[in-house]
Amino acid sequence: MPQSVDTNEILLKLADLQSLYKVMTQNLLQDYNLSASALNLIEILGEEQATLKSITEQSQLDKSTISRQMNTLVKNGLVVKTTGADKRYAYFTLSENAKSKFQEYNTAAQKTFSDILAGWTEEEKQLLSVLIGRLNRSLTNGLSGIQSL
């Protein structure tokens, strides 16, 4: 007969996982001289050219915050800012340096996580992937039910 699992115990383990994952990513970000907000904006821009308005909409942060962060990225040479024919609009694109740093960061993150899971069997990694996917779907469904109230 299966043992009953206390949902509070699961929540505590998720909180621990979140904290440990945050430490791992913060260490990697520090190694590549990036901030979490810079990484987020680099991911949003990707290979596209975007206006401040579109970046603000995608990030769901306020315009002044995004403007300040984008200006910092421009100053640090990670983003190129240009104006179009209509001088009221500025366009932002990633510099080659940002693309390179982003690729290096992702490679290092994948290697770090692979190293962490080095002692796991392929079956265990597959099971973890399936269960995380299932949890994500359950959370998505649960949150969409709450938002519609």
Side-chain angles (χ1 to χ4, degrees):
M1 184 168 160
Q3 257 186 325
S4 175
V5 177
D6 180 14
T7 54
N8 190 50
E9 183 180 333
I10 294 172
L11 288 172
L12 290 172
K13 288 180 180 181
L14 282 172
D16 286 345
L17 176 63
Q18 181 182 20
S19 295
L20 292 167
Y21 182 77
K22 185 176 181 180
V23 168
M24 182 188 87
T25 56
Q26 285 175 333
N27 288 340
L28 283 168
L29 288 169
Q30 189 174 23
D31 289 347
Y32 289 91
N33 197 26
L34 291 169
S35 66
S37 61
L39 185 67
N40 182 41
L41 291 171
I42 289 170
E43 286 177 324
I44 287 172
L45 276 173
E47 294 294 322
E48 304 297 318
Q49 182 180 58
T51 63
L52 193 59
K53 181 179 179 179
S54 68
I55 297 167
T56 300
E57 289 169 355
Q58 289 180 55
S59 70
Q60 298 179 339
L61 296 171
D62 66 80
K63 188 175 180 179
S64 64
T65 299
I66 296 301
S67 178
R68 188 172 50 255
Q69 291 176 349
M70 292 305 292
N71 286 331
T72 300
L73 292 175
V74 169
K75 180 181 167 194
N76 292 338
L78 296 173
V79 170
V80 177
K81 180 179 178 180
T82 56
T83 53
D86 185 343
K87 301 290 184 201
R88 293 177 294 172
Y89 294 102
Y91 297 93
F92 298 92
T93 54
L94 292 181
S95 69
E96 290 304 316
N97 182 29
K99 291 175 187 178
S100 174
K101 266 190 178 194
F102 184 67
Q103 182 60 44
E104 289 171 16
Y105 170 84
N106 280 330
T107 300
Q110 289 172 6
K111 183 183 179 332
T112 300
F113 203 66
S114 289
D115 291 349
I116 289 167
L117 297 179
W120 292 43
T121 66
E122 289 305 312
E123 291 80 17
E124 289 170 328
K125 291 187 258 187
Q126 178 65 30
L127 179 59
L128 177 63
S129 178
V130 167
L131 291 174
I132 289 173
R134 186 172 178 188
L135 179 60
N136 285 341
R137 284 187 301 281
S138 295
L139 282 168
T140 299
N141 293 337
L143 292 174
S144 66
I146 291 171
Q147 292 173 348
S148 64
L149 293 179

